[in-house]
């Protein structure tokens, strides 16, 4: 069964460093998402991406964050200068075109900023 | 604004007992509703979804959910809980035609503990 894959599964980084989280969405999907979940808290929407541009973003997704689809398969989230409060599980998701579709989530990348 | 509420933060049931997890939504358009499950340290797995039609939907692992428009609810049920069902359960509402959004909105989750 096709699945969304994320790498790495766990990343530790120093405060102020840049990190790139990588995702390979399901191949025929057209909408891509990043969500985050701070430990013990709710799953929060960061950004959606469609047709090579951001379609929607939350207030969390400030100038420190960026997304890119550098080739036909990868979808990345970059955090330019990490802060302690960026420590969270980051989930990538994708879905097919159309409105009657569910999002498929990856296993997540646990980001720890020290 | 769209929102999803899961009133129960924690629920504890005995193995073999029945389960109902509550979910209420606030959504201007026709809602597309989902339940996801998250085992510790794992990703989000889709249990079931409701788009239209029969208001009682069946999912994986023996779960079902009932959509009640009059109550703005989409409660998850299982007749007999297994120890392996211990996890966190998230209700979510997804983008629908005319909603003006692309995002899925999640509730705060209900953590299920199963007693042997």
């Amino acid at each position: 069964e096709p699945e969304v894959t994320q790498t790495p599964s766990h990343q530790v980084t120093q405060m102020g460093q840049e990190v790139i989280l990588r995702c390979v969405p399901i191949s025929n999907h057209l909408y891509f998402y990043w969500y985050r979940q701070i430990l013990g808290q709710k799953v929060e929407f960061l950004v959606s991406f469609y047709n090579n541009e951001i379609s929607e973003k939350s207030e969390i997704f400030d100038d420190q964050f960026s997304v890119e689809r550098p080739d036909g398969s990868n979808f990345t989230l970059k955090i330019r200068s990490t802060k302690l409060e960026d420590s969270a599980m980051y989930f990538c998701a994708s879905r097919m075109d159309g409105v009657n579709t569910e999002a498929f989530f990856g296993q997540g990348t646990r980001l720890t900023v020290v | 604004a769209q929102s999803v509420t899961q009133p129960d933060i924690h629920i504890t049931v005995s193995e073999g007992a029945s389960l109902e997890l509550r979910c209420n939504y606030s959504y201007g358009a026709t809602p597309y509703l989902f339940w996801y499950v998250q085992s510790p340290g794992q990703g989000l797995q889709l249990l079931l979804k409701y788009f239209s039609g029969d208001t009682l939907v069946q999912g994986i692992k023996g779960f079902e959910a009932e959509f009640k428009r009059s109550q703005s609810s989409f409660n998850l049920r299982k007749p007999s809980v297994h120890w392996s069902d211990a996890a966190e359960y998230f209700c979510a509402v997804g983008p629908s035609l005319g909603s003006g959004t692309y995002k899925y909105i999640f509730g705060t989750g209900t953590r299920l503990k199963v007693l042997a």
Side-chain angles (χ1 to χ4, degrees), chain A residues 40-109:
Chain A
Q41 297 186 27
K42 68 187 295 184
V43 179
E44 300 175 291
F45 169 76
L46 291 178
V47 66
S48 63
F49 192 86
Y50 175 72
N51 201 25
N52 283 319
E53 61 182 23
I54 291 173
S55 49
E56 191 172 359
K57 61 182 181 178
S58 73
E59 60 276 6
I60 302 168
F61 194 87
D62 61 21
D63 293 343
Q64 290 289 93
F65 292 90
S66 62
V67 290
E68 194 177 32
R69 190 155 160 81
D71 51 43
S73 58
N74 290 284
F75 180 53
T76 62
L77 174 70
K78 182 193 289 187
I79 309 174
R80 273 183 253 286
S81 178
T82 50
K83 306 191 247 322
L84 294 176
E85 54 264 37
D86 294 326
S87 295
M89 182 77 96
Y90 288 81
F91 292 106
C92 174
S94 68
R95 69 173 175 95
M96 296 175 68
D97 201 358
V99 289
N100 293 13
T101 56
E102 67 267 31
F104 291 82
F105 284 79
Q107 292 297 299
T109 293

Side-chain angles (χ1 to χ4, degrees), chain B residues 60-80:
Chain B
I60 62 171
K61 304 185 182 189
F63 285 92
E64 66 179 25
E66 185 170 13
F67 171 64
K68 292 185 178 179
R69 185 185 295 275
S70 61
Q71 297 176 21
S72 298
S73 69
F74 188 57
N75 294 349
L76 182 72
R77 300 195 295 246
K78 187 169 184 178
S80 177

Side-chain angles (χ1 to χ4, degrees), chain A residues 31 33 35 37 41-43 45 48 55-56 89 91 95 99-107, chain B residues 32 34 36 38 41-44 46 49 51 90 95-97 101-108:
Chain A
Y31 284 87
Y33 298 83
Y35 280 77
Q37 184 184 31
Q41 297 186 27
K42 68 187 295 184
V43 179
F45 169 76
S48 63
S55 49
E56 191 172 359
M89 182 77 96
F91 292 106
R95 69 173 175 95
V99 289
N100 293 13
T101 56
E102 67 267 31
F104 291 82
F105 284 79
Q107 292 297 299
Chain B
Y32 293 131
F34 308 87
Y36 287 85
Q38 184 183 31
Q42 300 296 308
L44 296 161
L46 181 69
K49 61 193 178 190
F51 291 133
F90 292 94
S96 63
L97 198 62
T101 182
Y102 296 91
K103 62 180 181 267
Y104 297 76
I105 300 168
F106 285 80
T108 49

